[in-house]
């Protein structure tokens, strides 16, 4: 079986790595991939843009691809699945209509209401004056969200009304993509958990709950990033997990009623509220990054069987998914990230890190003149797995200590909540 993966992050490297554990997989192609996917045996990068649907379709047909797996939200929201399906290809990832669950927060809220999902109260506005007046009337803290995709930067948790109003202005000025709507949302407190579920459009199969660390600084301080680390599994009680699963099932049923056969990953960003219940903060239409880098190393069921069951509508026939152990991923970022940073720094020490037994997933790297150099803000994700969190975290840190590039930064406290043994 040959598989083509679209994307260039740590998530896509982890998916490729997991697939390659199966002897059934003859070859993987990544569009465009990164330095990590370029270095694995039976894996090859194709120098195409992720948004070149025609080029991807032609390459997939030429290479006899059995399944195309789409990593990021942008091509999904632009309809890559619809296009490739029209070429007769099997595609893991929702159609453009389904991807609206991430690409439009107003649409997602409407689906949540219809599905009965517990979520923050929100109001939607099409112009700044009314939005600002509403924010003022509600008072701070309050959450301001751009409707559309904004590369993870479209949400402001405003501590003051003035901050909320600045965020509203910025969204309508187009600083976060071309959102035509602003959502103003009730501020929720609690612990965030990511529950990613596989779905074939009818059946839901949740993966292990994970938690990421979004802030740049230790103690969850400073600016938001694409994710500085993650760990799994989060201990969610069976009763709460059942409620979450029922909610995801209701969302899929709501999408079916709207004529959408949603296949792929439905990723719920949840807030576990202090009363032990949950509220949905957002839905994403894809695997999480860096959650995937801690979930997949723990998966025992062959991933290709699960992905194929989703696209063939056969998920209900799959035996229960099985898992082992715990994992933690520490992200090595370029100095200065999430603001301006340098690219092209030589990366050393990956073999030594891998020799300890860790998985080094590449994100912003490339091979240039036969050397591995940095090529993005989040450069690598180093995952340690073990029987316990203590083992997993110790391995991730021992391994990342072997790696260096100029300006390399990473958080020293990934998994800190595990140590205070939080469970829900
Ligand atoms: P979203 O893209 O909607 O998940 O928002 C990004 C981040 O903003 C979330 O991971 C939360 O940390 C935070 N956030 C979003 N909505 C809320 C809310 N209603 N209350 C508090 N924090 C929120
Ligand atoms: N880890 C956050 C995301 O993938 O959106």
């Amino acid at each position: 079986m040959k598989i083509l993966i679209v994307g260039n992050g740590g998530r896509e490297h982890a998916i490729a790595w997991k697939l390659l554990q199966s002897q059934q997989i003859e070859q993987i192609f990544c569009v465009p991939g990164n330095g990590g996917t370029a270095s694995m045996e039976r894996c090859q990068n194709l120098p195409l843009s992720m948004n070149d649907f025609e080029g991807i379709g032609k390459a997939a047909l030429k290479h006899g691809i059995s399944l195309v797996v789409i990593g990021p939200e942008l091509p999904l929201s632009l309809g890559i699945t619809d296009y490739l399906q029209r070429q007769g290809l099997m595609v893991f990832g929702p159609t453009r209509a389904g991807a609206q669950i991430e690409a439009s927060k107003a649409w997602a809220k409407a689906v949540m209401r219809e599905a009965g999902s517990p979520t923050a109260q929100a109001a939607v506005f099409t112009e700044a004056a009314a939005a600002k007046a509403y924010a003022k009337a509600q008072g701070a803290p309050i959450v301001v969200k751009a409707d559309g995709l904004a590369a993870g930067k479209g949400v402001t948790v405003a501590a003051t009304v003035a901050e909320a109003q600045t965020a509203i202005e910025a969204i309508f000025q187009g600083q976060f993509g071309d959102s035509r709507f602003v959502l103003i949302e009730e501020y929720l407190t609690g612990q965030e958990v990511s529950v990613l579920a596989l779905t074939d459009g009818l059946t839901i199969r949740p993966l292990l709950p994970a938690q990421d660390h979004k802030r740049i600084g230790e103690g969850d301080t400073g600016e938001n990033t694409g994710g500085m680390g993650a760990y799994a599994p989060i201990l969610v009680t069976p009763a709460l997990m059942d409620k979450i699963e029922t909610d995801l099932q209701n969302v899929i049923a709501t999408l079916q009623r709207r004529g959408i056969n949603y296949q792929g990953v439905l990723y719920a960003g949840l807030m576990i509220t202090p009363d032990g219940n949950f509220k949905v903060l957002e839905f994403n239409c894809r695997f999480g990054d860096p959650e995937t880098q801690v979930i997949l190393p723990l998966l025992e069921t062959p991933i290709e069987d699960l992905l194929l069951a989703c696209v063939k509508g056969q998920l209900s026939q799959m035996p229960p998914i099985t898992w082992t152990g715990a994992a933690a991923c520490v992200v090595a970022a370029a100095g200065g990230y999430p603001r301006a940073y340098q690219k092209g720094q030589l990366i050393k020490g990956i073999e030594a890190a891998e020799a300890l037994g860790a998985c080094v997933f590449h994100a912003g790297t490339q091979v240039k003149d036969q050397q591995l150099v940095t090529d993005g803000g989040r450069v690598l994700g180093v995952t340690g797995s073990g029987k316990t969190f203590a083992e997993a975290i110790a391995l991730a840190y021992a391994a990342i200590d072997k790696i260096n590039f100029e300006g390399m930064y990473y958080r020293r406290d990934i998994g800190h909540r595990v140590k205070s043994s939080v469970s829900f």
Side-chain angles (χ1 to χ4, degrees):
M1 196 188 325
K2 293 180 186 167
I3 295 188
L4 189 148
I5 301 173
V6 175
N8 63 354
R11 162 184 55 203
E12 289 78 16
H13 187 189
I15 295 169
W17 167 85
K18 191 71 193 176
L19 281 164
L20 285 171
Q21 290 179 356
S22 162
Q23 291 312 314
Q24 278 196 71
I25 308 296
E26 198 183 322
Q27 179 79 31
I28 291 186
F29 296 91
C30 291
V31 173
N34 59 32
T37 54
S39 317
M40 287 190 295
E41 275 179 35
R42 291 185 284 144
C43 188
Q44 180 187 332
N45 289 350
L46 297 177
L48 292 168
S49 152
M50 284 187 248
N51 297 326
D52 176 5
F53 299 171
E54 204 181 315
I56 294 170
K58 280 191 182 142
L61 293 171
K62 176 177 136 200
H63 292 293
I65 297 294
S66 310
L67 177 69
V68 185
V69 181
I70 314 295
E73 62 279 13
L74 190 60
L76 289 167
S77 73
L78 295 173
I80 191 168
T81 299
D82 312 58
Y83 178 85
L84 296 177
Q85 283 177 343
R86 283 199 299 273
Q87 313 302 308
L89 292 157
M90 301 257 256
V91 188
F92 181 87
T95 57
R96 180 181 190 145
Q100 288 178 95
I101 203 140
E102 176 165 4
S104 167
K105 290 190 188 287
W107 193 85
K109 270 284 175 200
V111 170
M112 288 181 217
R113 285 208 187 103
E114 203 177 315
S117 302
T119 182
Q121 280 197 17
V124 180
F125 296 90
T126 52
E127 49 107 19
K132 284 159 107 176
Y134 178 83
K136 192 171 172 193
Q138 292 293 308
I142 192 145
V143 182
V144 179
K145 299 186 174 185
D147 177 61
L149 292 181
K153 299 189 180 74
V155 175
T156 303
V157 178
T160 63
V161 169
E163 203 186 320
Q165 296 189 327
T166 306
I168 292 166
E169 281 291 342
I171 292 168
F172 283 115
Q173 283 166 8
Q175 289 179 29
F176 300 105
D178 58 352
S179 283
R180 288 176 301 128
F181 308 115
V182 161
L183 271 80
I184 302 189
E185 219 176 79
E186 168 199 6
Y187 171 72
L188 301 174
T189 53
Q191 287 269 341
E192 283 183 50
V193 174
S194 306
V195 176
L196 283 62
L198 298 175
T199 177
D200 62 359
L202 293 171
T203 298
I204 279 282
R205 286 288 174 90
L207 304 177
L208 286 181
Q211 188 163 54
D212 74 354
H213 295 260
K214 291 199 168 101
R215 304 295 193 92
I216 188 73
E218 282 155 21
D220 298 319
T221 55
E223 286 181 80
N224 253 321
T225 71
M228 294 304 295
Y231 59 101
I234 302 296
L235 301 174
V236 176
T237 60
L240 183 56
M241 202 61 208
D242 277 354
K243 282 192 204 167
I244 295 169
E245 190 170 344
T246 302
D247 182 56
L248 295 177
Q249 195 69 61
N250 290 340
V251 170
I252 289 300
T254 301
L255 294 174
Q256 280 289 354
R257 273 199 303 280
R258 289 177 172 230
I260 299 169
N261 189 37
Y262 186 105
Q263 295 184 325
V265 174
L266 179 62
Y267 162 155
L270 305 174
M271 188 72 95
I272 309 295
T273 46
D275 63 1
N277 274 310
F278 73 94
K279 289 199 173 168
V280 180
L281 293 176
E282 62 169 345
F283 284 119
N284 294 323
C285 62
R286 51 169 174 84
F287 281 108
D289 189 332
E291 288 93 330
T292 303
Q293 292 91 306
V294 289
I295 293 172
L296 294 189
L298 306 179
L299 176 66
E300 289 183 327
T301 308
I303 185 175
E304 66 278 14
D305 294 352
L306 292 168
L307 301 182
L308 283 170
C310 288
V311 301
K312 290 180 179 165
Q314 296 172 349
L315 200 55
S316 64
Q317 297 163 32
M318 285 292 293
I321 302 176
T322 61
W323 304 95
T324 181
C329 174
V330 183
V331 169
Y337 174 80
R339 301 210 170 174
Y341 54 81
Q342 288 200 327
K343 291 184 181 178
Q345 309 291 345
L346 190 63
I347 305 170
K348 292 191 190 140
I350 290 187
E351 285 89 12
E354 287 173 340
L356 294 176
C359 295
V360 180
F361 295 120
H362 295 227
T365 75
Q366 65 161 313
V367 180
K368 209 171 179 182
D369 304 327
Q370 291 174 357
Q371 290 191 310
L372 186 72
V373 295
T374 67
D375 192 40
R378 290 190 299 162
V379 176
L380 301 165
V382 180
T383 298
S385 1
K387 286 202 183 73
T388 63
F389 272 119
E391 269 177 53
I393 293 170
L395 175 55
Y397 277 107
I400 204 167
D401 273 347
K402 301 278 181 203
I403 298 175
N404 65 77
F405 54 85
E406 205 176 309
M408 172 169 137
Y409 166 80
Y410 59 90
R411 277 180 58 168
R412 303 255 168 198
D413 66 341
I414 299 305
H416 65 91
R417 290 201 190 87
V418 177
K419 292 180 185 152
S420 53
S421 70
V422 167
S423 63
F424 305 113

